[in-house]
Amino acid sequence: MTRNTQPMTIREGIVLGSDKPVLFSGPCAVESYDICIEIGTKVKAWADENGFSYVFKASFDKANRTSSGSFRSIGMDKSLEVLQRVGKALDVPLVTDIHESYQATEVAEVVDVLQIPAFLCRQTDLLLAAGNTGKAVKIKRGQFMAPEDMQYAVTKIRSTGNDNVCLTERGFSLGYHNLVVDMRGLPIMRQFAPVVFDVTHSVQQPGGQGGTSGGQREFAPILARAAAATGIDGFFIETHPEPAKALSDGPNLIPLHRMGEFLAMLKEAWSLGRKYQDFSVQ
């Protein structure tokens, strides 16, 4: 199976699809500057130690919460200000989600990567708006999309003249409140663009706690190792110092104090996967 060799440049020296894995990591949502800088500082150190390029992640708005009563945001302006401060303090690139086409230009002034949420991966106007910013675009595969159909989302971005695009795997819906990862989807999507594995949301149980989402973080190391062994290009991991107190996605967040060990394990599995990524029985 032939993989796409067009890398995604995030900033000078940080390239998804190169010989160094990229880690997109941070809290699920921007809760406060203090939480973000604590997480970013520690994860950056562990990423450097284990040979990952690091991109700080936090959503400025959780527009797709199960319940209208759940936390969404501290406000767009405040959240973007926090992201900007963290990026400057740590000298790292930033990634956040956009949900509406009008948000693309404003958010692109602050972050290096625009993330398209899974449920919005077919929204043409949103994809074109993201592509037209010239920033790197990270598209999550919809839980309802076949891996091979994600090539059309990539084509929409590239139609704007922007080749800096990647795809992200986060499982497909099987019945209710359950996601399953088909590892075949990783090399399939890698034919079209670099691929990132979303460790966090692959163990999510959408809406599984009666108005909020549940999660099975005990399976995160297993799925992460399996994905790493396919030789993909990067990983998306949300973390928090106290997952039980996180304002979003607590049940599937990796505890911050375990991230160093998690990344060491992941890098070992990734290195083995890259060694054999071109092995074929055809």
Side-chain angles (χ1 to χ4, degrees):
M1 189 171 290
T2 303
R3 68 181 187 274
N4 181 277
T5 56
Q6 175 68 52
M8 184 178 88
T9 300
I10 297 169
R11 80 166 44 165
E12 186 176 356
I14 300 181
V15 179
L16 185 71
S18 65
D19 58 359
K20 186 175 184 179
V22 176
L23 172 68
F24 301 84
S25 185
C28 181
V30 176
E31 299 180 9
S32 68
Y33 176 75
D34 290 343
I35 287 290
C36 288
I37 196 66
E38 176 187 357
I39 294 172
T41 299
K42 291 180 178 179
V43 174
K44 181 179 186 295
W46 287 321
D48 290 344
E49 180 181 330
N50 288 287
F52 290 84
S53 295
Y54 179 50
V55 180
F56 179 81
K57 181 273 167 184
S59 297
F60 77 85
D61 179 25
K62 300 302 297 182
N64 54 355
R65 298 303 304 272
T66 304
S67 168
S68 61
S70 297
F71 171 81
R72 275 190 60 168
S73 174
I74 60 173
M76 183 173 184
D77 291 341
K78 288 183 179 179
S79 293
L80 291 179
E81 180 184 355
V82 168
L83 287 171
Q84 193 167 43
R85 288 177 64 192
V86 170
K88 184 175 181 180
L90 300 179
D91 189 26
V92 295
L94 304 166
V95 59
T96 196
D97 311 81
I98 58 171
H99 295 84
E100 304 280 354
S101 301
Y102 74 85
Q103 296 171 341
T105 300
E106 183 175 356
V107 175
E109 293 177 358
V110 175
V111 307
D112 304 84
V113 183
L114 298 173
Q115 180 167 272
I116 306 299
F119 284 127
L120 301 178
C121 70
R122 287 173 57 114
Q123 296 298 105
T124 301
D125 289 345
L126 181 63
L127 291 167
L128 295 180
N132 280 323
T133 66
K135 292 299 180 76
V137 182
K138 181 176 177 290
I139 311 170
K140 288 195 174 186
R141 184 185 68 79
Q143 298 91 321
F144 47 87
M145 292 285 288
E148 58 268 25
D149 290 343
M150 290 304 295
Q151 64 182 296
Y152 304 112
V154 171
T155 299
K156 290 177 183 179
I157 299 297
R158 289 183 174 152
S159 74
T160 68
N162 185 348
D163 289 330
N164 280 327
V165 57
C166 74
L167 295 171
T168 300
E169 171 60 38
R170 49 88 33 89
F172 68 90
S173 296
L174 182 65
Y176 303 116
H177 304 154
N178 192 41
L179 296 172
V180 173
V181 178
D182 180 356
M183 291 296 166
R184 295 174 300 178
L186 299 174
I188 290 172
M189 291 196 298
R190 206 159 173 246
Q191 296 175 98
F192 317 124
V195 169
V196 173
F197 182 65
D198 182 344
V199 176
T200 300
H201 295 98
S202 292
V203 298
Q204 186 187 58
Q205 295 176 309
Q209 291 188 337
T212 61
S213 292
Q216 297 176 302
R217 76 165 61 91
E218 65 270 25
F219 293 115
I222 298 167
L223 292 180
R225 290 196 302 268
T230 70
I232 54 170
D233 306 290
F235 303 89
F236 177 99
I237 308 174
E238 291 178 345
T239 181
H240 196 280
E242 297 182 89
K245 295 182 179 180
L247 299 181
S248 179
D249 268 350
N252 38 276
L253 302 181
I254 303 301
L256 181 61
H257 72 277
R258 300 302 306 276
M259 278 294 288
E261 300 167 275
F262 199 103
L263 293 180
M265 172 197 71
L266 204 53
K267 182 59 184 302
E268 186 175 350
W270 181 86
S271 296
L272 183 63
R274 273 301 174 100
K275 179 178 179 181
Y276 293 105
Q277 66 177 331
D278 294 320
F279 180 80
S280 172
V281 292
Q282 295 297 329

